Amino acid sequence: MESMLNKLKSTVTKVTADMTSAVMGNPVTREFEVGRHIASGGPGMCWRIYNGTKKSTKQEVAVFVFDKKMVEKYQKFDKDQIIESLKRGVQQLTRLRHPRLLTVQHPLEESRDCLAFCTEPVFASLSNVLGQWDNLPSPVPTDIKDYKLYDVETKYGLLQISEGLSFLHSGVKMVHGNLCLENVILNKSGAWKIMGFDFSISSTNPSDAEVRRSAHLPVCTCMYLFLCVYLYISLHTCLHLPPSFPQPKYSCKEWEPNLPPLCLPNPEYLAPEYILSVSCDAASDMYSLGVVMHAVFNEGKPVFQVNKHDIFKSFSRQLDQLSRLSPTMLNKIPEEVREHVKMLLSVTPNVRPDADQMTKIPFFDDVGAVTLAYFDSLFQRDNLQKSQFYKNLPKVLPKLPKRVVVYRILPALASEFVNPDMVPFVLPNVLLIAEECTKDEYVRLILPDLSPVFKQQEPVQASNMILLIFLQKMDLLLTKTPPEDIKNSVLPMVYRALEAPSIQIQELCLNIIPTFANLIEYPSMKNALIPRIKSACLQTSSLAVRVNSLVCLGKILEYLDKWYVIDEILPFLQQIPSREPAVLMGVLGIYKCTFSHKKLGIPKEHLAAKSLPHLVSLSIDNNLNLNQFNSFMAVIKDMLTRMEAEHKTKLEQLHSMQEQQRSMNINTSQTNQSEETKRTSSPGNQIDDVFGGSSGSAGVNGKANGNSASAPQLNRMSLTLEEKQRLAKEQEQAAKLRNQPALAPQSIKPATPSTQAKDLTSCLLNNMTSLGSLSLTSPPRPGLIQGSTISAYPSTTPMGSMASNGYNPTMGFQTGGQGMRPPGPGLYGGMATTTSTPNFGALTHNQGSTNTPDMSALDSLFTSNKPKVSLNQMAPPKPTPGTTATPWLNQFGSAQPSQTAPMQGAPLVMGGVTSGFGMQANPFFSPQNFSQPTAAPVMNAGGGLRHSSSVNNDLKDLFG
């Protein structure tokens, strides 16, 4: 692979170096840029042909270069002879101007290394096409290697050579002298042109010199001279007089075998008399034409192979063969021209037909050849003749090869676009050729010439015809034209057609738009095409245009977006003022297409609010017949049926969702109740019941009942889409909750402490003992009321105890709160907290009249590792009648009988509290409390107060 790349690199480098060295320094390079080597031609294939462009105009040209290195092997005299011969041929070609001769665009320029001149763009020489690849680049270009001549190209090419010889013989009085394959050049469009006038021979008659000078004049002058000659010949023909033209005389050079080959003509194409008798005339060129025709049909092989070292003997032998020419030698030549070729190869020059006669043989009457010949003579035709020819051309184009059509006919047609009156006749043929071209060929060869035609608006009649032609081929334009050119050139032309004043153009445009709507981009259709169609429908006065607009809209609905149709097209239908039956049916058709199309469809809200009311109003129009009314009613019924089904389905779905939500709420309520039941049955819930659990439970149930009562109200309401989504999420979450296992209360076993847990009851009693000890250990205060003791600190008594004021023994009052609830489940939880009140008197309790309360309900509050002891067991034993009160109570003083008697008879409320409370129960408003005699304090046996340790012992005995 690497070696192949290196070889290719070296080849490219060599070719570039050769080209650079060959052309470098030549004056041609000042005005022209030389490209790649494409072909070879001329005498001995000595001219290398390069493509090039003119620097100033970017015009394409062919650059012929002769490298002087090719003749370095010759002597100086021979070199000079070769150079002079080549110069003479190019100079002669430059002076001659004819469509059948190669056109020189820049004369011959000489430098130290090369000769160069520029011509019209060239494809190759006829010799290259037929397989002679001398002096060609390596590798041989693919387009030359694969080139095959078509019959029409061969016929018309030979006709062109015949016409060129006719011009030389009749017009210029000149013999070419070296007509062969290498001197026939195919230009870029495929036309055959003659070059290589190195050995041309001019007539020696003085009058012929004037004719030759006229060949160098402008074309119009030459045409004038030829016209005069033609009139002169016609006049003599009418008078039956022979024209008095002298026969041209040509002087021929004797063959010199010692000269280099480039200084001699190709002997294989020379007439025998040129070598044997050193004479030549126009018939000699006709013999060369016969050999060329034979070579064209025989893969480039001439009739005879000539030994150039012994040319006279070869020609003598050739003369004998020509006198008895075998039919097998001409078997490859077409039969219709075989006899003419045989006559051209005749030994006798007078038998050979001249060039004018050859142009008129039936072989050249082929349709393709005549068509190509007519294109070459278009500049001589008027517009009427051209229009007739262009009208019939579409019948001929399919019979011609594509290469001939694209490279020969298309350029001629494109040249007519400069004539606005001819564009409507030329354009159909150009678009017909475009259909056979590839997209690349269309963009490269056709589109540049069509771009100005897209924008042509003058003259108006021609512009309208151009619009019609383009609209008929719109699918072709949109398929092969690049998107940018469609946006800039094609679609503006369509918009212009919709806005054209001609009703015919509007109708055609509306009828054609649906055929290529799928090729139009959606933004262009939505923003530019549809608005113009709507405008044409509303503004026109033509019923046909309005109906076609509606039909066009109906056919392109499938390429539009659903909501664009609903928001733009359907409201537009209500703006149409016309009430003709055709228009109403067009409106109905759009509604039906939109309604029934799978991609589009009309929502039920739009059906109920806009579509159905509009259709119902149109259906009762008086202009409709029975069939049209039935069509309206059929569509209306279909819409009603679908609307009913869709809305019914929606309501059923909503109903099922409401039922699911209702069942979900019921399940949730049942779940809450079961959890509440489990909670109340657990040990922890028993404590809640004791401490106000009933009120808390009622609050929870009340909340649940409130949610359960409000759920049906929510379900009875009409739900929006957001509410449905929220409801669906709630149902999903509730389903997840139902799938979870029920939460059962777990009993937590207390860890066994390392030390014994403290008893709350013992702590409470110890606090009370410490308070009592503080009051008992206080020093005695003088002036105390006899029979009572006043504590130095406020006394905190248990709730439910009786408090008697020391200053008013007969009156008692409740120290905190209105009363006490009986022991029960809500003892502490459902009751307001009571505050203790300072006690300014000694506590007196009538041991004989007070009943011991039942405190067994509080057993569950206190848990301990000790054996459980009921509070009834901890209550102090009832004193027997006649016994002395407990010493712990006696230390506070005993009440006088007269003072306690009223208390015993007083009515009691809950918890044993006396009901008396008011002005008289207040000790500060009882005057006798301050007038009672002072009682001596109770003394123990030692004469002092009883020690507090006995009190502690009594408390321990009391509470265990």
Side-chain angles (χ1 to χ4, degrees), residues 633-649:
M633 294 310 299
V635 175
I636 292 172
K637 289 178 181 179
D638 291 342
M639 290 182 174
L640 288 173
T641 302
R642 182 179 297 182
M643 184 180 65
E644 177 186 1
E646 290 181 359
H647 197 63
K648 184 177 180 181
T649 303

PDB file of all heavy atoms in Angstrom, residues 633-649:
ATOM      1  N   MET A 633     -75.909  16.073   8.035  1.00  0.00           N
ATOM      2  CA  MET A 633     -76.472  15.397   9.197  1.00  0.00           C
ATOM      3  C   MET A 633     -75.652  14.155   9.561  1.00  0.00           C
ATOM      4  O   MET A 633     -75.530  13.811  10.740  1.00  0.00           O
ATOM      5  CB  MET A 633     -77.930  15.001   8.919  1.00  0.00           C
ATOM      6  CG  MET A 633     -78.861  16.190   8.743  1.00  0.00           C
ATOM      7  SD  MET A 633     -78.719  17.429  10.062  1.00  0.00           S
ATOM      8  CE  MET A 633     -79.179  16.449  11.478  1.00  0.00           C
ATOM      9  N   ALA A 634     -75.111  13.479   8.571  1.00  0.00           N
ATOM     10  CA  ALA A 634     -74.289  12.301   8.869  1.00  0.00           C
ATOM     11  C   ALA A 634     -73.059  12.701   9.681  1.00  0.00           C
ATOM     12  O   ALA A 634     -72.703  12.036  10.665  1.00  0.00           O
ATOM     13  CB  ALA A 634     -73.876  11.608   7.577  1.00  0.00           C
ATOM     14  N   VAL A 635     -72.410  13.793   9.275  1.00  0.00           N
ATOM     15  CA  VAL A 635     -71.232  14.248  10.017  1.00  0.00           C
ATOM     16  C   VAL A 635     -71.630  14.729  11.410  1.00  0.00           C
ATOM     17  O   VAL A 635     -70.949  14.440  12.411  1.00  0.00           O
ATOM     18  CB  VAL A 635     -70.515  15.365   9.237  1.00  0.00           C
ATOM     19  CG1 VAL A 635     -69.360  15.941  10.045  1.00  0.00           C
ATOM     20  CG2 VAL A 635     -70.008  14.839   7.903  1.00  0.00           C
ATOM     21  N   ILE A 636     -72.750  15.452  11.492  1.00  0.00           N
ATOM     22  CA  ILE A 636     -73.203  15.940  12.809  1.00  0.00           C
ATOM     23  C   ILE A 636     -73.512  14.769  13.734  1.00  0.00           C
ATOM     24  O   ILE A 636     -73.149  14.776  14.925  1.00  0.00           O
ATOM     25  CB  ILE A 636     -74.430  16.865  12.628  1.00  0.00           C
ATOM     26  CG1 ILE A 636     -74.011  18.156  11.922  1.00  0.00           C
ATOM     27  CG2 ILE A 636     -75.080  17.167  13.964  1.00  0.00           C
ATOM     28  CD1 ILE A 636     -75.166  19.048  11.530  1.00  0.00           C
ATOM     29  N   LYS A 637     -74.170  13.749  13.232  1.00  0.00           N
ATOM     30  CA  LYS A 637     -74.484  12.586  14.069  1.00  0.00           C
ATOM     31  C   LYS A 637     -73.215  11.868  14.517  1.00  0.00           C
ATOM     32  O   LYS A 637     -73.128  11.430  15.675  1.00  0.00           O
ATOM     33  CB  LYS A 637     -75.398  11.636  13.293  1.00  0.00           C
ATOM     34  CG  LYS A 637     -76.808  12.160  13.092  1.00  0.00           C
ATOM     35  CD  LYS A 637     -77.644  11.194  12.263  1.00  0.00           C
ATOM     36  CE  LYS A 637     -79.060  11.738  12.032  1.00  0.00           C
ATOM     37  NZ  LYS A 637     -79.873  10.818  11.203  1.00  0.00           N
ATOM     38  N   ASP A 638     -72.260  11.756  13.634  1.00  0.00           N
ATOM     39  CA  ASP A 638     -70.996  11.128  14.033  1.00  0.00           C
ATOM     40  C   ASP A 638     -70.310  11.916  15.139  1.00  0.00           C
ATOM     41  O   ASP A 638     -69.775  11.337  16.099  1.00  0.00           O
ATOM     42  CB  ASP A 638     -70.067  11.017  12.824  1.00  0.00           C
ATOM     43  CG  ASP A 638     -70.567  10.008  11.799  1.00  0.00           C
ATOM     44  OD1 ASP A 638     -71.414   9.164  12.167  1.00  0.00           O
ATOM     45  OD2 ASP A 638     -70.123  10.078  10.629  1.00  0.00           O
ATOM     46  N   MET A 639     -70.350  13.229  15.009  1.00  0.00           N
ATOM     47  CA  MET A 639     -69.737  14.054  16.049  1.00  0.00           C
ATOM     48  C   MET A 639     -70.464  13.903  17.369  1.00  0.00           C
ATOM     49  O   MET A 639     -69.843  13.782  18.438  1.00  0.00           O
ATOM     50  CB  MET A 639     -69.737  15.526  15.610  1.00  0.00           C
ATOM     51  CG  MET A 639     -68.786  15.842  14.470  1.00  0.00           C
ATOM     52  SD  MET A 639     -68.799  17.608  14.059  1.00  0.00           S
ATOM     53  CE  MET A 639     -67.495  17.666  12.846  1.00  0.00           C
ATOM     54  N   LEU A 640     -71.816  13.910  17.331  1.00  0.00           N
ATOM     55  CA  LEU A 640     -72.587  13.742  18.565  1.00  0.00           C
ATOM     56  C   LEU A 640     -72.323  12.383  19.199  1.00  0.00           C
ATOM     57  O   LEU A 640     -72.187  12.268  20.433  1.00  0.00           O
ATOM     58  CB  LEU A 640     -74.079  13.919  18.263  1.00  0.00           C
ATOM     59  CG  LEU A 640     -74.543  15.345  17.953  1.00  0.00           C
ATOM     60  CD1 LEU A 640     -75.992  15.341  17.502  1.00  0.00           C
ATOM     61  CD2 LEU A 640     -74.382  16.234  19.178  1.00  0.00           C
ATOM     62  N   THR A 641     -72.260  11.371  18.378  1.00  0.00           N
ATOM     63  CA  THR A 641     -72.007  10.023  18.924  1.00  0.00           C
ATOM     64  C   THR A 641     -70.662   9.953  19.613  1.00  0.00           C
ATOM     65  O   THR A 641     -70.547   9.423  20.733  1.00  0.00           O
ATOM     66  CB  THR A 641     -72.081   8.993  17.786  1.00  0.00           C
ATOM     67  OG1 THR A 641     -73.366   9.069  17.157  1.00  0.00           O
ATOM     68  CG2 THR A 641     -71.862   7.585  18.328  1.00  0.00           C
ATOM     69  N   ARG A 642     -69.640  10.478  18.976  1.00  0.00           N
ATOM     70  CA  ARG A 642     -68.319  10.427  19.602  1.00  0.00           C
ATOM     71  C   ARG A 642     -68.271  11.290  20.855  1.00  0.00           C
ATOM     72  O   ARG A 642     -67.671  10.893  21.862  1.00  0.00           O
ATOM     73  CB  ARG A 642     -67.258  10.880  18.619  1.00  0.00           C
ATOM     74  CG  ARG A 642     -65.843  10.801  19.200  1.00  0.00           C
ATOM     75  CD  ARG A 642     -64.789  11.215  18.216  1.00  0.00           C
ATOM     76  NE  ARG A 642     -64.739  10.337  17.066  1.00  0.00           N
ATOM     77  CZ  ARG A 642     -63.857  10.468  16.069  1.00  0.00           C
ATOM     78  NH1 ARG A 642     -62.978  11.458  16.114  1.00  0.00           N
ATOM     79  NH2 ARG A 642     -63.866   9.638  15.046  1.00  0.00           N
ATOM     80  N   MET A 643     -68.886  12.470  20.793  1.00  0.00           N
ATOM     81  CA  MET A 643     -68.893  13.331  21.972  1.00  0.00           C
ATOM     82  C   MET A 643     -69.598  12.657  23.137  1.00  0.00           C
ATOM     83  O   MET A 643     -69.146  12.698  24.288  1.00  0.00           O
ATOM     84  CB  MET A 643     -69.566  14.667  21.635  1.00  0.00           C
ATOM     85  CG  MET A 643     -69.529  15.679  22.770  1.00  0.00           C
ATOM     86  SD  MET A 643     -70.321  17.227  22.317  1.00  0.00           S
ATOM     87  CE  MET A 643     -72.013  16.678  22.112  1.00  0.00           C
ATOM     88  N   GLU A 644     -70.741  11.998  22.845  1.00  0.00           N
ATOM     89  CA  GLU A 644     -71.473  11.300  23.898  1.00  0.00           C
ATOM     90  C   GLU A 644     -70.629  10.168  24.479  1.00  0.00           C
ATOM     91  O   GLU A 644     -70.552   9.995  25.704  1.00  0.00           O
ATOM     92  CB  GLU A 644     -72.771  10.739  23.322  1.00  0.00           C
ATOM     93  CG  GLU A 644     -73.582   9.924  24.323  1.00  0.00           C
ATOM     94  CD  GLU A 644     -74.785   9.269  23.681  1.00  0.00           C
ATOM     95  OE1 GLU A 644     -74.969   9.443  22.460  1.00  0.00           O
ATOM     96  OE2 GLU A 644     -75.529   8.587  24.397  1.00  0.00           O
ATOM     97  N   ALA A 645     -69.990   9.414  23.627  1.00  0.00           N
ATOM     98  CA  ALA A 645     -69.190   8.278  24.115  1.00  0.00           C
ATOM     99  C   ALA A 645     -68.004   8.766  24.950  1.00  0.00           C
ATOM    100  O   ALA A 645     -67.723   8.211  26.025  1.00  0.00           O
ATOM    101  CB  ALA A 645     -68.694   7.463  22.923  1.00  0.00           C
ATOM    102  N   GLU A 646     -67.332   9.813  24.497  1.00  0.00           N
ATOM    103  CA  GLU A 646     -66.183  10.298  25.245  1.00  0.00           C
ATOM    104  C   GLU A 646     -66.590  10.864  26.594  1.00  0.00           C
ATOM    105  O   GLU A 646     -65.961  10.577  27.622  1.00  0.00           O
ATOM    106  CB  GLU A 646     -65.446  11.356  24.433  1.00  0.00           C
ATOM    107  CG  GLU A 646     -64.724  10.808  23.209  1.00  0.00           C
ATOM    108  CD  GLU A 646     -63.992  11.891  22.452  1.00  0.00           C
ATOM    109  OE1 GLU A 646     -64.079  13.064  22.880  1.00  0.00           O
ATOM    110  OE2 GLU A 646     -63.341  11.576  21.434  1.00  0.00           O
ATOM    111  N   HIS A 647     -67.662  11.643  26.611  1.00  0.00           N
ATOM    112  CA  HIS A 647     -68.062  12.245  27.877  1.00  0.00           C
ATOM    113  C   HIS A 647     -68.617  11.190  28.831  1.00  0.00           C
ATOM    114  O   HIS A 647     -68.386  11.255  30.049  1.00  0.00           O
ATOM    115  CB  HIS A 647     -69.099  13.341  27.631  1.00  0.00           C
ATOM    116  CG  HIS A 647     -69.271  14.263  28.801  1.00  0.00           C
ATOM    117  ND1 HIS A 647     -68.255  15.073  29.270  1.00  0.00           N
ATOM    118  CD2 HIS A 647     -70.338  14.480  29.618  1.00  0.00           C
ATOM    119  CE1 HIS A 647     -68.692  15.761  30.314  1.00  0.00           C
ATOM    120  NE2 HIS A 647     -69.941  15.420  30.542  1.00  0.00           N
ATOM    121  N   LYS A 648     -69.340  10.242  28.313  1.00  0.00           N
ATOM    122  CA  LYS A 648     -69.857   9.162  29.162  1.00  0.00           C
ATOM    123  C   LYS A 648     -68.705   8.355  29.757  1.00  0.00           C
ATOM    124  O   LYS A 648     -68.736   8.004  30.949  1.00  0.00           O
ATOM    125  CB  LYS A 648     -70.770   8.264  28.329  1.00  0.00           C
ATOM    126  CG  LYS A 648     -71.436   7.155  29.142  1.00  0.00           C
ATOM    127  CD  LYS A 648     -72.381   6.361  28.260  1.00  0.00           C
ATOM    128  CE  LYS A 648     -73.060   5.244  29.078  1.00  0.00           C
ATOM    129  NZ  LYS A 648     -73.971   4.456  28.233  1.00  0.00           N
ATOM    130  N   THR A 649     -67.723   8.092  28.962  1.00  0.00           N
ATOM    131  CA  THR A 649     -66.549   7.380  29.480  1.00  0.00           C
ATOM    132  C   THR A 649     -65.863   8.173  30.577  1.00  0.00           C
ATOM    133  O   THR A 649     -65.446   7.621  31.600  1.00  0.00           O
ATOM    134  CB  THR A 649     -65.567   7.112  28.332  1.00  0.00           C
ATOM    135  OG1 THR A 649     -66.227   6.384  27.304  1.00  0.00           O
ATOM    136  CG2 THR A 649     -64.358   6.328  28.814  1.00  0.00           C
TER     137      THR A 649
END
